[in-house]
C-alpha cells in the first residue's frame, strides 16, 4: 500500500512559482467565466423580473433570449464583466496571502479557509462592484426591450437607456455609465456595495470552508488511491451547492438593489416579499445552482491543476494528482 503520510494535500502559497501561477490563473478564470456567463445573465434576469412576467424558469429564459436576441443576447455585458479577471487575481492573492499569515499563527484549516475567503471577497468586491453594476444594467436591457409592451417596462429599465439598432457595445456602456452618474453621482457606481458584501463575503467564506470540510470528509470515506484532484473537484462542487442554497435570498436582494435602484436592503426585501412572498427565497435559484455547481467544479479543476503545475521543484514529488 502506498505511504501517504508525506503527501501534501493543500499546496500553500510559499510552495508555488508565482510567475507561472498568476498568468495561468487569469487564463483559466477567463475561460470559465466566458463559458458560464450565459447562466449569470439568465440568473440576473430571473431575479429582477416581477411576477414571472417574462420567463417561467431557466430553460424558458434561455430559449426566449436566444430566439429574440440571438446568441449575442446571452453574452450581453460580458466584455464589461470580464474586468473581473483583475479582481480575480486580487481575490486569489488575498486568499492565499491570508492563509499564509494564519498558517504562521498555527490557525486551523477551517479557520484559514473561512477568514481567507471572507477577506478575499472584500477586496474583490471593492474592485468589481462598479463593473458589476454596469454589466447588470447591460444584461437587463434585453429584458426591457422584450417587455416593451408591458406596463412594467420602466422598472425593467430604470435608467431609460435605449437598445437601439446599430448602437455599439461601447456606446451602450457609456450611456449607462452617464445615466448612473447623472442620477446618483459617484455613489451610483457603488449602489448595493453593502448588499454585495453581505452576499459575497459570507458566500466566499462559507464556500472555502465547506470546500475543505467536504475534502476532508471525502478523503476519509474514499479509498486511499483515489485521485486527490477528483476529491477536490467534488468537494468544490458540493461546497458551491451548499453555499448557494444558504445565500440565494441575499443575492436576489443585491441584484434588485443595484438594478432597480431601491434605497435600502430592507425596502428591497419588503418589495420582493410583496411581489413573490415565500417564492422570493428561490427566485433565480435554479439558474444560480447550475451556475454555482458548474463554476465551482470548473474553478477548482483549473485552480488546483494550476497550483500543481506551478509548484516549485522541491515539492513536486510530495503532491499527488
Amino acid at each position: 500500500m502506498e505511504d501517504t503520510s508525506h503527501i501534501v494535500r493543500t499546496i500553500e502559497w510559499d510552495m508555488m512559482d508565482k510567475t507561472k501561477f498568476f498568468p495561468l490563473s487569469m487564463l483559466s478564470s477567463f475561460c470559465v467565466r466566458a463559458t458560464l456567463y450565459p447562466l449569470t445573465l439568465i440568473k440576473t434576469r430571473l431575479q429582477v423580473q416581477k411576477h414571472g412576467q417574462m420567463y417561467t424558469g431557466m430553460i424558458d429564459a434561455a430559449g426566449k433570449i436566444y430566439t429574440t436576441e440571438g446568441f449575442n443576447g446571452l453574452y450581453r455585458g460580458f466584455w464589461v464583466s470580464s474586468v473581473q479577471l483583475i479582481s480575480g487575481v486580487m481575490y486569489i492573492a488575498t486568499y492565499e496571502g491570508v492563509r499564509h499569515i494564519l498558517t504562521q499563527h498555527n490557525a486551523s484549516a477551517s479557520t484559514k479557509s473561512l477568514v481567507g475567503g471572507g477577506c478575499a471577497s472584500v477586496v474583490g468586491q471593492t474592485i468589481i462592484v462598479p463593473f458589476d453594476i454596469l454589466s447588470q444594467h447591460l444584461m437587463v436591457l434585453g429584458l426591457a426591450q422584450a417587455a416593451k409592451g408591458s406596463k412594467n417596462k420602466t422598472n425593467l429599465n430604470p435608467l431609460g437607456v435605449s437598445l437601439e439598432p446599430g448602437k455599439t457595445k461601447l456606446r451602450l456602456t457609456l450611456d449607462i455609465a452617464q445615466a448612473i452618474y447623472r442620477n446618483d453621482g459617484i455613489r451610483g457606481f457603488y449602489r448595493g456595495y453593502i448588499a454585495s458584501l453581505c452576499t459575497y463575503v459570507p458566500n466566499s467564506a462559507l464556500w472555502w470552508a465547506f470546500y475543505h470540510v467536504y475534502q476532508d470528509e471525502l478523503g476519509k470515506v474514499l479509498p486511499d488511491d483515489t485521485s486527490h484532484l477528483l476529491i477536490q473537484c467534488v468537494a468544490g462542487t458540493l461546497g458551491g451547492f451548499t453555499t448557494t442554497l444558504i445565500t440565494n435570498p441575499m443575492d436576489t436582494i443585491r441584484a434588485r438593489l443595484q438594478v432597480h435602484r431601491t434605497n435600502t436592503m430592507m425596502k428591497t426585501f419588503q418589495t420582493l416579499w410583496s411581489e413573490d412572498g415565500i417564492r422570493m427565497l428561490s427566485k433565480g435559484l435554479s439558474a444560480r445552482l447550475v451556475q454555482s455547481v458548474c463554476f465551482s467544479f470548473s474553478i477548482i479543476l483549473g485552480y488546483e491543476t494550476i497550483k500543481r503545475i506551478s509548484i516549485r521543484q522541491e515539492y513536486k514529488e510530495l503532491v499527488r494528482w
Side-chain angles (χ1 to χ4, degrees):
M1 181 178 293
E2 180 186 3
D3 179 15
T4 61
S5 59
H6 300 296
I7 294 294
V8 174
R9 297 194 177 277
T10 302
I11 300 173
E12 300 293 353
W13 191 234
D14 57 348
M15 298 179 182
M16 291 185 289
D17 179 350
K18 313 305 186 299
T19 60
K20 291 182 180 179
F21 177 76
F22 281 120
L24 290 173
S25 180
M26 290 181 68
L27 177 62
S28 173
S29 179
F30 178 81
C31 292
V32 171
R33 293 180 188 281
T35 302
L36 300 180
Y37 186 80
L39 288 173
T40 303
L41 182 139
I42 290 167
K43 177 208 71 172
T44 299
R45 291 200 182 184
L46 288 172
Q47 287 177 330
V48 302
Q49 71 170 350
K50 296 186 177 183
H51 303 295
Q53 81 249 42
M54 280 300 300
Y55 312 122
T56 59
M58 182 179 67
I59 303 299
D60 181 61
K64 287 181 177 176
I65 292 170
Y66 182 77
T67 300
T68 58
E69 303 171 51
F71 182 76
N72 288 339
L74 293 168
Y75 278 87
R76 193 178 302 284
F78 173 70
W79 79 279
V80 175
S81 178
S82 62
V83 176
Q84 289 185 6
L85 285 177
I86 300 171
S87 69
V89 171
M90 297 303 296
Y91 177 96
I92 288 297
T94 302
Y95 172 73
E96 293 289 355
V98 170
R99 279 182 55 86
H100 180 65
I101 293 170
L102 292 177
T103 298
Q104 295 176 328
H105 289 82
N106 300 316
S108 66
S110 58
T111 299
K112 289 190 292 185
S113 300
L114 191 72
V115 177
C119 292
S121 186
V122 172
V123 173
Q125 286 305 304
T126 300
I127 297 171
I128 203 58
V129 162
F131 299 99
D132 204 20
I133 288 174
L134 287 171
S135 178
Q136 286 182 117
H137 279 291
L138 284 166
M139 288 179 191
V140 301
L141 274 180
L143 177 58
Q145 181 73 8
K148 58 187 176 182
S150 167
K151 57 187 177 184
N152 290 321
K153 64 180 180 179
T154 302
N155 293 324
L156 294 172
N157 187 12
L159 295 176
V161 177
S162 60
L163 188 61
E164 298 171 1
K167 188 177 282 190
T168 65
K169 295 176 182 178
L170 178 59
R171 183 68 262 168
L172 275 173
T173 305
L174 290 175
D175 285 350
I176 289 172
Q178 290 169 354
I180 291 171
Y181 184 77
R182 186 167 56 248
N183 284 292
D184 301 309
I186 293 296
R187 288 189 310 168
F189 293 98
Y190 274 90
R191 179 175 290 277
Y193 175 65
I194 299 300
S196 290
L197 292 183
C198 290
T199 301
Y200 290 118
V201 172
N203 189 88
S204 176
L206 288 171
W207 187 82
W208 284 108
F210 279 128
Y211 168 56
H212 284 280
V213 168
Y214 282 128
Q215 191 178 155
D216 290 341
E217 294 305 312
L218 288 169
K220 293 175 184 177
V221 300
L222 294 174
D224 289 340
D225 59 353
T226 303
S227 165
H228 191 53
L229 182 59
L230 175 62
I231 290 175
Q232 290 174 320
C233 288
V234 174
T237 302
L238 292 173
F241 188 89
T242 306
T243 305
T244 297
L245 288 175
I246 295 170
T247 61
N248 190 68
M250 195 63 225
D251 188 56
T252 301
I253 291 172
R254 175 200 59 82
R256 274 294 188 91
L257 188 64
Q258 291 178 334
V259 174
H260 285 182
R261 304 173 62 247
T262 48
N263 294 323
T264 65
M265 285 188 286
M266 182 55 69
K267 183 177 179 180
T268 306
F269 173 82
Q270 291 171 344
T271 301
L272 280 165
W273 187 264
S274 66
E275 290 174 6
D276 297 293
I278 195 69
R279 288 189 305 165
M280 68 157 285
L281 300 178
S282 60
K283 203 171 182 67
L285 180 60
S286 58
R288 192 164 180 249
L289 278 174
V290 173
Q291 176 208 34
S292 178
V293 166
C294 294
F295 183 82
S296 297
F297 179 88
S298 303
I299 282 293
I300 288 299
L301 178 61
Y303 174 65
E304 294 293 353
T305 298
I306 288 166
K307 287 176 76 173
R308 283 165 169 78
I309 294 172
S310 304
I311 197 166
R312 285 158 42 189
Q313 189 62 41
E314 61 264 35
Y315 297 107
K316 283 188 180 293
E317 297 300 321
L318 301 178
V319 176
R320 190 175 69 188
W321 284 78

